[in-house]
Amino acid sequence: MNRADVSVHRFTLIRHAQAACNVLAPDSPWTPALDDCALTPLGQQQANSLAAHWPTELYAPKLYVSPMRRARETAAPLARQGGMPLVLDERLAEVTLQGDVTRPLWQHDWDDILEQRIRQPDESPLSGVESLRAQFLRAQGFLKERLAAGSGHHMIVSHAQTLELLILSLLGLALEDLQRFRFRLSNTGVHMIECQTDGSAPRLMLVNSLAHLNRLV
């Protein structure tokens, strides 16, 4: 392949700051309204600290963001600080429960549903919940679009499961690999991966960095 035909991409992946749904006790009632919860006061501090300590040389032309509230509230200070337009993309949203809940659910039930999706990625563990495979395919669709756009830096603010699937795809791993190991994604944790379209191995440059939080964590 001619080197002029090779595009180089940097993906900076950021999990949203602490949100109300992240601090629920296992026996707390779970409702679909929690899917679009806001940041906690600590989460707001985390988002502001992320923006305040972000290196100038690591801004990107755009900031791609999940349309869910906790992701938008995390991205807003960073976008303002770097003068980056926000681009909302539904493919970056976290898995949700669509439709009515037919039985009472508790937080530990929802956690069990998420784990069941990993054990059985082609099945929906509950009516209205997309399979892990379907979520993986939408994440891959987003990446293919970015990779086809030519060399560049792509910054993304999303959610733990969605980011885990993006990382998996960028590293060339299979969905079933999540049954053997998991990635740690803390609130406002930053991962960075560089890849080229010439088939060379991707490079994992940064893993779950929280340096911007100082003493907030």
Side-chain angles (χ1 to χ4, degrees):
M1 178 180 290
N2 189 314
R3 296 302 299 175
D5 297 328
V6 176
S7 56
V8 181
H9 299 266
R10 172 184 288 171
F11 287 87
T12 299
L13 311 171
I14 306 168
R15 188 187 176 195
H16 63 79
Q18 186 190 81
C21 54
N22 297 142
V23 293
L24 294 174
D27 58 351
S28 297
W30 188 93
T31 68
L34 290 170
D35 282 338
D36 208 26
C37 62
L39 297 183
T40 63
L42 175 59
Q44 293 169 359
Q45 293 180 55
Q46 291 173 339
N48 290 331
S49 184
L50 175 70
H53 294 92
W54 193 262
T56 303
E57 64 273 16
L58 292 183
Y59 289 127
K62 300 176 182 178
L63 184 55
Y64 294 94
V65 184
S66 158
M68 302 178 89
R69 182 176 178 180
R70 56 192 181 274
R72 290 186 283 109
E73 290 183 351
T74 301
L78 184 58
R80 285 194 301 270
Q81 186 76 15
M84 297 178 290
L86 292 179
V87 180
L88 303 183
D89 196 307
E90 292 283 351
R91 293 170 294 184
L92 298 176
E94 189 63 291
V95 61
T96 61
L97 174 57
Q98 303 293 327
D100 297 329
V101 179
T102 57
R103 62 179 176 85
L105 288 177
W106 309 95
Q107 181 60 38
H108 64 80
D109 293 322
W110 184 246
D111 292 339
D112 289 343
I113 288 170
L114 297 180
E115 288 302 315
Q116 186 177 342
R117 292 169 75 245
I118 293 173
R119 294 192 300 271
Q120 299 173 306
D122 294 304
E123 298 180 14
S124 171
L126 183 69
S127 177
V129 177
E130 71 177 330
S131 70
L132 189 66
R133 181 80 61 188
Q135 188 179 4
F136 191 42
L137 289 174
R138 63 176 164 90
Q140 287 182 316
F142 171 84
L143 290 177
K144 288 178 181 177
E145 193 174 284
R146 301 274 59 77
L147 290 169
S151 298
H153 182 194
H154 316 282
M155 286 182 65
I156 298 161
V157 177
S158 186
H159 311 266
Q161 186 79 88
T162 304
L163 291 174
E164 199 166 27
L165 296 175
L166 290 172
I167 294 170
L168 203 69
S169 185
L170 286 168
L171 295 180
L173 300 172
L175 183 58
E176 289 73 17
D177 286 326
L178 288 184
Q179 298 174 22
R180 299 189 300 112
F181 62 84
R182 303 294 301 276
F183 298 99
R184 183 176 181 84
L185 295 108
S186 303
N187 291 122
T188 66
V190 180
H191 289 72
M192 188 179 295
I193 299 172
E194 288 188 353
C195 56
Q196 299 181 172
T197 56
D198 62 354
S200 59
R203 295 186 294 173
L204 189 56
M205 309 293 291
L206 198 63
V207 178
N208 202 41
S209 174
L210 296 171
H212 53 277
L213 293 186
N214 296 322
R215 297 183 180 180
L216 291 180
V217 293

